[in-house]
Amino acid sequence: MKKELRTTEGAAPVGAYSQGLVVGDFVYTSGMGPLDPHTGEVVGDDVAAQTHRVMRNLGAILAAHGLGFDDVVKATVHLQHLKRDFAAYNEVYKSYFNQPYPVRTTVGSELMDILVEIDFVAHKSA
């Protein structure tokens, strides 16, 4: 059984997908871009600013189910310019987590008018 997570504090879906789903003890988020949840506009001109907005969007979705960044077990990251932007994105990304960090895959992707997109899998501990 799955339950939809939705919050006005995270970017609204712009297609046929949910912000997040709860399945058992796991929360799965959609890939989030750097969209302001209130205006729908892209926030930030560089990967650092965009990564902060993405992380705030994801944090809001996690919070909608009483979770936080320490509950994230897996992240998948898409960067428009992998080689150019990895270091700046990574500095922002790691500032949201404590060790041990979640497992992560980071790939270069063709993204539509954004520099970064991230999705999470989180686990609700008993």
Side-chain angles (χ1 to χ4, degrees):
M1 189 148 121
K2 57 187 176 182
K3 173 187 162 197
E4 182 179 18
L5 290 179
R6 184 173 285 272
T7 177
T8 58
E9 296 305 310
V14 294
Y17 60 90
S18 300
Q19 284 177 319
L21 291 175
V22 179
V23 182
D25 291 337
F26 288 90
V27 169
Y28 300 85
T29 73
S30 288
M32 287 285 121
L35 302 180
D36 181 288
H38 305 290
T39 67
E41 299 295 320
V42 173
V43 173
D45 294 330
D46 62 34
V47 76
Q50 288 194 12
T51 301
H52 277 297
R53 179 70 258 171
V54 169
M55 296 300 279
R56 287 192 293 274
N57 286 340
L58 288 164
I61 295 166
L62 294 173
H65 192 59
L67 299 177
F69 291 106
D70 286 341
D71 299 303
V72 175
V73 295
K74 170 84 170 95
T76 304
V77 181
H78 298 265
L79 295 174
Q80 178 75 262
H81 306 286
L82 181 62
K83 197 178 268 192
R84 181 191 80 186
D85 288 345
F86 182 85
Y89 131 79
N90 193 57
E91 280 301 307
V92 173
Y93 173 91
K94 76 178 182 180
S95 73
Y96 285 84
F97 294 103
N98 296 307
Q99 292 187 16
Y101 298 119
V103 298
R104 179 178 79 185
T105 301
T106 305
V107 297
S109 295
E110 185 174 335
L111 300 172
M112 291 178 24
D113 303 321
I114 61 174
L115 299 174
V116 59
E117 181 176 326
I118 302 172
D119 68 77
F120 287 158
V121 176
H123 183 258
K124 185 160 191 158
S125 304

